[in-house]
Amino acid sequence: MEYIATFYSHFGAMRFKKQCDKRSIPARLMPVPRNLSSSCGTCVRYESGCACPVEEWPEEMEQAAEVLSEGYRICYRAKNS
């Protein structure tokens, strides 16, 4: 499955991408799609068998959404969003 994670900061997005790289999870930094909002404008698009490919949702993450043919399905949203 493919997911998009948005972040409060560009640094948070870069850090999450590095965590994916360490786990050999295909991931890339990209601009946030218009249908999803983000505080920093940078997201990570990644492929994984589960929405959270790391031990726990990172503090810097705003939301994670599964990529569907008809749009997105929110899998995770930070409590303070």
Side-chain angles (χ1 to χ4, degrees):
M1 290 190 216
E2 205 162 16
Y3 298 92
I4 291 180
T6 63
F7 298 84
Y8 294 110
S9 69
H10 183 73
F11 177 76
M14 290 175 41
R15 197 153 87 169
F16 182 77
K17 165 113 173 37
K18 285 182 182 181
Q19 290 177 339
C20 289
D21 291 344
K22 286 180 186 177
R23 292 169 174 78
S24 300
I25 296 167
R28 69 181 191 271
L29 291 169
M30 59 182 267
V32 175
R34 289 181 190 225
N35 296 9
L36 299 173
S37 66
S38 173
S39 297
C40 76
T42 302
C43 71
V44 176
R45 188 173 187 131
Y46 59 98
E47 295 178 31
S48 179
C50 63
C52 185
V54 294
E55 294 84 34
E56 59 184 43
W57 295 110
E59 214 176 277
E60 302 97 346
M61 187 181 284
E62 180 182 25
Q63 65 183 353
E66 181 180 359
V67 178
L68 306 171
S69 59
E70 64 275 359
Y72 305 98
R73 180 182 66 83
I74 303 299
C75 303
Y76 167 80
R77 189 179 312 265
K79 292 177 185 168
N80 55 355
S81 288

